[in-house]
Amino acid sequence: MSTKEKIEEEKKRNKHNLTPLELQQEKVERLFQKIDKPVYIPEPYKEKPQIQAPKDFVRNVSGSSAGAGSGDFHVYRAQRRREYARMKSMEDQEVKVDKEYEEKLAKLREEDEERTAKRRLKRQKRNKKKTDTIKKKDTPKDTAKDTNIAKSSTANETNTAGNTNTDMNTLPAKDTHTATAEESEQANA
């Protein structure tokens, strides 16, 4: 078959009774004829379109004397299908909203925890700095107190053993207790 015969055969062919393959082939050929023209390709739906709410006014109402006709079941089935689809979309929407809410709460909790940890660290540093400065101030005094206490304890031991040392300089610096007459008599006895 030559190309001329193919072209004549195509012209003779009925354009209204094409197979799906021939239809697609014809569409592609039309696109190639207008190759400079941009092709519109629609974007797919990102979200399913909302299903309409049920109608307030019902048109397919049977009369009081009428029985169920042959088409009533199909009407009922279509209404039931639409209602189930609407209920499912409402449930999906609720799940989506709940999920978004949980994600938002988790994000807020995480931010709060980070902020709290940062503040806790600052507070601990500040408290440590305070305790370190207090310890530095108390450290020289504490060592002096400890040596005075050690001296006084050895003096008291020698005092009780020999009862010879009654010098007041050996008493600890912190002890400001004055002995009563009864205590001094008991200590001398």
Side-chain angles (χ1 to χ4, degrees):
M1 255 184 161
S2 67
T3 56
K4 288 183 181 179
E5 291 175 4
K6 287 183 183 178
I7 294 172
E8 288 177 18
E9 186 180 323
E10 286 179 16
K11 288 181 181 177
K12 290 179 183 176
R13 192 176 341 144
N14 186 0
K15 292 185 179 181
H16 299 291
N17 192 11
L18 300 176
T19 65
L21 178 65
E22 291 171 342
L23 278 173
Q24 187 177 12
Q25 205 171 24
E26 188 176 311
K27 287 179 183 178
V28 170
E29 287 174 6
R30 282 187 201 153
L31 287 174
F32 277 116
Q33 287 174 358
K34 303 174 187 175
I35 201 156
D36 295 338
K37 184 178 177 183
V39 178
Y40 171 71
I41 299 173
E43 293 184 18
Y45 286 118
K46 293 181 180 166
E47 201 170 299
K48 290 183 179 179
Q50 294 293 329
I51 297 174
Q52 295 178 354
K55 297 176 182 175
D56 292 334
F57 187 78
V58 180
R59 296 188 185 277
N60 298 321
V61 178
S62 299
S64 60
S65 64
S70 61
D72 287 347
F73 174 72
H74 303 293
V75 172
Y76 162 75
R77 189 172 58 180
Q79 287 176 343
R80 185 182 64 182
R81 180 184 49 80
R82 282 193 299 268
E83 181 63 19
Y84 283 159
R86 188 180 72 83
M87 295 293 287
K88 185 177 184 310
S89 70
M90 287 188 335
E91 289 172 1
D92 291 345
Q93 184 69 20
E94 185 178 343
V95 168
K96 181 181 175 184
V97 169
D98 287 344
K99 186 177 179 182
E100 289 174 357
Y101 178 72
E102 290 296 326
E103 289 173 357
K104 182 179 176 183
L105 276 183
K107 181 181 175 186
L108 289 175
R109 282 188 194 124
E110 185 178 314
E111 289 174 0
D112 285 344
E113 186 62 34
E114 288 175 6
R115 223 175 300 131
T116 304
K118 187 176 179 181
R119 289 178 182 168
R120 183 185 311 121
L121 185 63
K122 277 186 176 180
R123 189 173 54 248
Q124 288 173 348
K125 284 181 181 179
R126 185 179 63 230
N127 289 342
K128 186 176 180 184
K129 196 174 189 180
K130 279 184 182 179
T131 55
D132 288 347
T133 55
I134 291 172
K135 285 182 181 179
K136 286 180 183 178
K137 289 179 183 177
D138 290 344
T139 306
K141 292 179 184 177
D142 288 344
T143 55
K145 288 179 186 177
D146 292 340
T147 55
N148 286 341
I149 293 171
K151 287 180 183 177
S152 66
S153 64
T154 55
N156 286 340
E157 289 174 4
T158 56
N159 190 13
T160 56
N163 287 334
T164 57
N165 191 0
T166 57
D167 189 14
M168 293 300 285
N169 292 335
T170 59
L171 291 175
K174 224 176 187 184
D175 191 17
T176 57
H177 177 71
T178 56
T180 61
E182 293 176 4
E183 290 177 348
S184 59
E185 287 177 7
Q186 287 175 358
N188 290 334

